[in-house]
Amino acid sequence: MKDAGLASLSINGRPVEVASDPGRRLSDVLREELGLRGTKVGCDAGDCGACTVLLDGAPVCACLTPLGRALGREIATVEGGVAEDLQASFLRHGAAQCGICTPGMLMAASALLTRNARPSRGEVEAALGGVLCRCTGYAKIVDAVMATATAAPALPKAGAAVGARVERLDGRPKVDGSESYGADHVPEGALLVRAVRSPHVAARFALGDIQSWAARHGVQVFTAADIPGENRFSAIPAFADQPALARDRVRMRGEAVAIVAGPPEVVEALDLATFPVDWSEDTGLRDPDSAESAGAPQLHEDRGGNILTRGLVRRGDARAALAGSAHLAEVEVRTSFVEHAYIEPEAGVAWMEGDVLVIRACTQAPVMDRDETAKILALPPERVRIIPAATGGGFGSKLDVSLQPLIGLVALRSGRPARMVYTRRESMASTTKRHPAHMQARAGADATGRITGMVFDGQFDTGAYASWGPTVAVRVPVHASGPYRVPAYDARSRAVHTNNPVAGAFRGFGVPQAAVAQETLFEDLALAAGIDRLAFRRINALKDGDRSVCGQELWGVGIDDCLAALEGPWAQALAEAEAANAQGGRIRRGVGVASCWYGCGNTGLPNPSTVRAGITREGRLRLHQGATDIGQGANTVIAQIFADALGVDLASVELIGPDTALTPDCGKTSASRQTFVTGKAALLAGQALRARLLALANMGDEASIAFENGAVVLREGARSRRIAPAELPLDVLGYALSVEETYDPPTSGLDADGQGVPYAVYGYGAQVAEVAVDLDLGTVKVLRITAAHDVGRAINPALAEGQIEGGIAQGLGMALMEEYIPGRTENLHDYLIPTTGDMPEVRSILVEKPDPEGPLGAKGLGEHVLIPTAPAILNAIRHASGARLTRLPALPHRVRAAIREAAP
Amino acid sequence: MGAYLQPRDLDEALRHLAQGPLTVAAGCTDLFPATERQRLAGDVLDISGLAGLRGVSRHADGWRIGAGTTWSEVIAADLPAGFDMLKAAAREVGSVQIQNAGTLGGNLCNASPAADGVPPLLALGASVELVSASGARVLPLEEFLIGPRRTARRAQELLSAVLVPEAAGASTFRKLGARRYLVISIAMVAARLVLREGRIERAWVAVGACSPVARRLGALEARLVGMGAAEVAGLEPGFLEGVLSPIADVRGSAEYRLGAAEELVRRSVGELMEGRA
């Protein structure tokens, strides 16, 4: 029985008529019937709070509210329901990174501020506890709610953008609800696409009478047989092995075997369990030990022993060095699958423009999406255009294509726009994860505490398909030494196929796991040597001119600067913990430290970025910025570098792109490379355009440049010269003046022993964690983390702090609560990520030791920030309780068991 | 598509129920997460508009809490210290958003072994009132909750109210989870005590998430009578063994759950004895 006729709602003070069924989710009515897509949907289960709206002033999840219940009541949404000063405060504090949680945060904060204008930090945390954020670590959000009255800083003057706390240039739409993510653009007449996915981890299958099923339901069905091109993809072309649609065999739960397309109301109502497919289930390989055992079935024909790839870095004779060491230590650690848990499930829409297939979806890698989709659909790359939607978090998983080939296929074959929005369960089941690692490591030190050698072996569960498994296998042995001098070294890794989810790229590419083994190992060594744990790390920290385990001579090495910056906080934390513990009781305080290093960009492989800038005939300055900004801030940072290199006011820079039709390739947003690689290309482009203008004006480098009333005005001393772009002929790119500059980091491939120059730039950091451990319950409260990170040059300190706070949140989650279990934790209430109430105070220390290669000395930061967090917390837990955790996450039951083991 | 019924009064709701089975929707905080669809499945009876099912009232023989009372309304209600544990549990239900929508009655009817509301209501000696077109009956909460996701509610009945007799003493609630907000319990304890000269005169203790249905611990309550703070702190390891039957799942091992429940009991009772609740 459908409700007859229209019903009335009041939204943001305006009466609105709706025709939907009263049993529909209010979130769906707001978004799909009323087009109010500022309200976001992250889980449809009340777990993430992104859809928070106010019902008569009280925050509720719109996804849990039937429309019928909202009738006759006042609904406030981000579109008009939020005070301007609160929005401005979010922008000013950098409280929105990707921005997908921002509407929910704003609504929850609005309700609080209405009844309590001056809330305490605790009150804000409690009020926002029901909205998950995966980017920020919450601190800047809480700051923004507590300090709505602070004034906006003045914009930096021309030439002074670098180093300034510039507000995110693309931030306004994130705080007013107008930002358009993958699910927010819906062309007229778009078909809805849903995937039929495997409920089994391994199975053969045969499709039944699809034609009849499709005809009966009035939909179109596409299968592997409809794919015109090469039905296999992978982030790394040489390993392409994953079908867009499986043909007759599935290797993991959630693998798509068919897609269904049709009118949205029809497709949404389909029960896909009735889709005609006969499964013949196999046992499958659930863990890498089984996969490596003799006689195990093989997932891929050409990968013997189910080994995808191996990695090796060897220098000197590590075993001999250990044999002669005064102190020895050994660890064995296991980590779990970790889910990226961005709040935006994969979503996008595809349509045809002439003979060009346009795909607008969330992504971290538009050019890779274009090339892979073109290959699968047998199109030349120039007939595929990727327009990245605003991306509601990525963290590595949105480097791989997901729905792009599927909606592309439907648009190509049907000629109609085709839209797909993953459910939370679908997103978690079918996309990549962080590799579970099983690591064993040994290291030795001499009597003075100098590390003599290290042996590392890591087995990484890479799941059903290759994805970024090879990258993890290569990166881990390069980084497993930590930022320390290790004269003799033997580190091996292998990525092993199983029928588990695909393990791919996740912030750090295996290095966070390796750091857990290495930093807990060095903890043991420091304790064995009887040396203060921070001092031990300083004794061994890499210095300028040292060689890494790859034999690379390093310059601009900032690890000791970071450790030195932590000396004061470390001493204070130890004293506080000691004083607290002297009081007795079953809650014990502890302090831990851990370091990180991380090479920026591809490992020993080219990864260029190209930046274009032009001046239009109307005298507008355009920067074609192709680095996708998934919340980390590339749109702002790249523009800051460019503006200063050109010597103009940041406000005169107009950003174009990313869009594969409009922006040259800036590569993928991955490997902490955008500030370094695209930043350097932007620096070169700014310098080149400046040189062109100076030459035209016949002025020296002291000249200032301004864009005024359609002209470019250069001034040097008393001289002034006006260049009128309208009078210049257009160049091939359609500009009066334009430049295009490419930068590719100078690296070299690694030899058979892993020796070479894998990266041109490294970033460094170290963190001190302070914890309280409940000895009886095994619960851990992280009280404070002091994080010193060497960024070379802080292009935008506010954004850098945001990366640190957000990375620490993910590191804390990995340490204490995050464990993805296929088929069991495919939602955000069984899979836990930190909430406002789980985050400690984070004190950021930005260390600036310039890198000789990086733009203005800058280094990458995005991944570095989470690497030290988990081992620092583990070392703090051990300091507090004696518990040596050998399995992550350190859930209460594991911590309590480890405490009992340490002190039976 | 099913019907979506929004009755204006209880009689109308009961008439609908008498005609055939309906999905009763209160806060919808459990119903919507159970589906990926954009509409609630089947024929739905939305009772959230029934004013008679909301609010807290005082009667000669105790307290009546309408089944449609939200957790936020419980938190805001003027109630004696015996209810502190219920208010504390209410603050731990999901998030503010969930507390603004979710109801006491819905929490009971959903019958999750980890329902936050159940241990405090058990420790309050609560009963539930069930009404149908043919009359009303009252059941002790223990008899209403018969298993995980199973209750004694008949298809034509509505849970209309939770009845609490005189709630003497002070009370407290502890929930253990792997994160601060929006978390499903590993274990939880609700405790209420009447003290006399530093010793326990009467005790009510219930544990959740450690058995198929949350349990009131009668034998422990009897044992606690007469104890002082030191004896409570000294409750021996394993004192709940055989009483509870926790499972191992993603949130914790069975052995851990049992030990944690025991420790939560020691702490909750101990805290009440020291007057720190």
Side-chain angles (χ1 to χ4, degrees), chain A residues 35-48:
Chain A
L36 293 173
R37 294 199 172 87
T39 298
K40 305 303 176 194
V41 172
C43 68
D44 267 345
D47 297 327
C48 77

Side-chain angles (χ1 to χ4, degrees), chain A residues 626-881:
Chain A
T628 47
D629 191 327
I630 57 171
Q632 87 281 21
N635 280 333
T636 308
V637 166
I638 304 301
Q640 283 177 271
I641 293 172
F642 171 79
D644 275 15
L646 176 57
V648 301
D649 195 311
L650 195 53
S652 56
V653 180
E654 199 177 307
L655 284 170
I656 303 289
D659 178 334
T660 58
L662 301 176
T663 42
D665 187 2
C666 282
K668 60 207 190 305
T669 290
S670 148
S672 304
R673 59 177 292 283
Q674 293 296 18
T675 298
F676 160 41
V677 182
T678 302
K680 183 112 177 194
L683 178 80
L684 297 173
Q687 289 169 341
L689 188 56
R690 180 173 178 84
R692 293 274 299 278
L693 289 169
L694 292 175
L696 271 177
N698 194 23
M699 284 193 180
D701 201 39
E702 295 304 306
S704 70
I705 301 175
F707 286 77
E708 296 173 7
N709 306 320
V712 191
V713 181
L714 289 87
R715 296 186 181 88
E716 188 176 26
R719 287 177 60 211
S720 163
R721 174 78 200 277
R722 187 170 182 280
I723 297 170
E727 293 161 17
L728 297 172
L730 289 185
D731 64 16
V732 290
L733 295 172
Y735 282 111
L737 254 183
S738 70
V739 295
E740 204 168 274
E741 291 291 331
T742 297
Y743 174 73
D744 192 14
T747 62
S748 74
L750 300 177
D751 68 15
D753 283 329
Q755 300 296 296
V757 180
Y759 311 103
V761 167
Y762 296 78
Y764 304 86
Q767 296 176 4
V768 168
E770 299 167 59
V771 306
V773 180
D774 185 320
L775 299 182
D776 294 315
L777 295 176
T779 49
V780 176
K781 173 82 185 152
V782 183
L783 304 170
R784 183 187 293 133
I785 289 183
T786 308
H789 284 274
D790 170 27
V791 296
R793 178 77 191 271
I795 309 293
N796 186 323
L799 292 177
E801 288 166 9
Q803 287 298 297
I804 293 172
E805 291 162 7
I808 286 172
Q810 292 185 357
L812 183 146
M814 176 182 163
L816 297 181
M817 62 184 82
E818 298 191 31
E819 181 170 14
Y820 180 81
I821 300 168
R824 179 63 190 83
T825 61
E826 292 164 354
N827 58 61
L828 293 175
H829 55 264
D830 289 315
Y831 187 84
L832 303 181
I833 66 171
T835 66
T836 53
D838 301 294
M839 283 304 294
E841 176 196 1
V842 174
R843 291 185 182 167
S844 295
I845 301 170
L846 295 176
V847 172
E848 295 183 298
K849 172 132 185 186
D851 187 276
E853 183 68 24
L856 310 167
K859 305 165 180 178
L861 177 70
E863 288 160 288
H864 309 68
V865 288
L866 84 63
I867 296 169
T869 308
I873 290 172
L874 292 182
N875 288 339
I877 292 172
R878 181 172 182 195
H879 181 232
S881 68

Side-chain angles (χ1 to χ4, degrees), chain A residues 11-332:
Chain A
I11 302 177
N12 300 322
R14 286 186 309 114
V16 179
E17 303 259 280
V18 290
S20 290
D21 182 276
R24 278 195 102 68
R25 299 179 196 261
L26 178 61
S27 50
D28 192 60
V29 176
L30 290 171
R31 290 178 51 83
E32 304 305 328
E33 184 177 345
L34 300 173
L36 293 173
R37 294 199 172 87
T39 298
K40 305 303 176 194
V41 172
C43 68
D44 267 345
D47 297 327
C48 77
C51 66
T52 299
V53 298
L54 307 188
L55 205 54
D56 289 339
V60 295
C61 291
C63 76
L64 302 183
T65 307
L67 169 64
R69 189 161 304 172
L71 300 178
R73 299 170 72 179
E74 179 60 33
I75 301 164
T77 72
V78 70
E79 297 100 343
V82 183
E84 163 61 30
D85 65 340
L86 181 61
Q87 292 176 332
S89 186
F90 264 57
L91 197 51
R92 190 157 62 250
H93 286 90
Q97 286 190 25
C98 85
I100 194 80
C101 75
T102 306
M105 289 289 183
L106 287 167
M107 299 322 297
S110 293
L112 171 68
L113 292 173
T114 301
R115 59 182 166 77
N116 180 357
R118 301 289 302 275
S120 69
R121 202 164 187 91
E123 287 168 335
V124 175
E125 286 177 1
L128 303 184
V131 190
L132 298 179
C133 170
R134 192 58 155 167
C135 294
T136 65
Y138 303 104
K140 295 200 181 302
I141 296 173
V142 177
D143 290 345
V145 177
M146 293 183 70
T148 53
T150 53
L155 273 178
K157 293 200 173 70
V162 170
R165 293 177 167 267
V166 176
E167 284 181 7
R168 185 180 290 280
L169 299 180
D170 56 2
R172 191 71 221 170
K174 295 178 193 284
V175 299
D176 67 16
S178 65
E179 183 73 294
S180 183
Y181 296 85
D184 297 340
H185 177 64
V186 187
E188 194 64 34
L191 302 176
L192 183 64
V193 181
R194 284 175 66 197
V196 179
R197 295 183 182 276
S198 170
H200 306 297
V201 299
R204 305 269 170 181
F205 68 92
L207 297 172
D209 185 357
I210 295 167
Q211 299 306 332
S212 307
W213 188 87
R216 190 159 65 249
H217 293 287
V219 296
Q220 294 171 272
V221 172
F222 301 89
T223 68
D226 297 299
I227 290 180
E230 218 179 312
N231 185 12
R232 55 198 176 97
F233 67 88
S234 180
I236 307 168
F239 293 94
D241 60 359
Q242 187 167 0
L245 291 170
R247 198 159 44 90
D248 54 9
R249 175 185 182 186
V250 291
R251 294 179 178 83
M252 59 178 266
R253 189 180 150 78
E255 189 164 349
V257 300
I259 47 175
V260 179
E265 63 283 4
V266 174
V267 171
E268 190 210 301
L270 287 175
D271 179 2
L272 295 180
T274 68
F275 186 82
V277 53
D278 286 323
W279 300 103
S280 113
E281 195 183 347
D282 297 334
T283 325
L285 298 165
R286 304 297 192 106
D287 66 86
D289 287 343
S290 311
E292 286 193 279
S293 67
Q298 225 162 281
L299 266 84
H300 299 276
E301 276 174 20
D302 53 341
R303 294 176 191 157
N306 289 313
I307 300 295
L308 168 62
T309 48
R310 294 177 188 274
L312 167 67
V313 172
R314 184 162 48 189
R315 188 170 174 77
D317 187 340
R319 282 171 184 81
L322 291 190
S325 296
H327 305 287
L328 283 174
E330 183 168 0
V331 296
E332 179 171 4

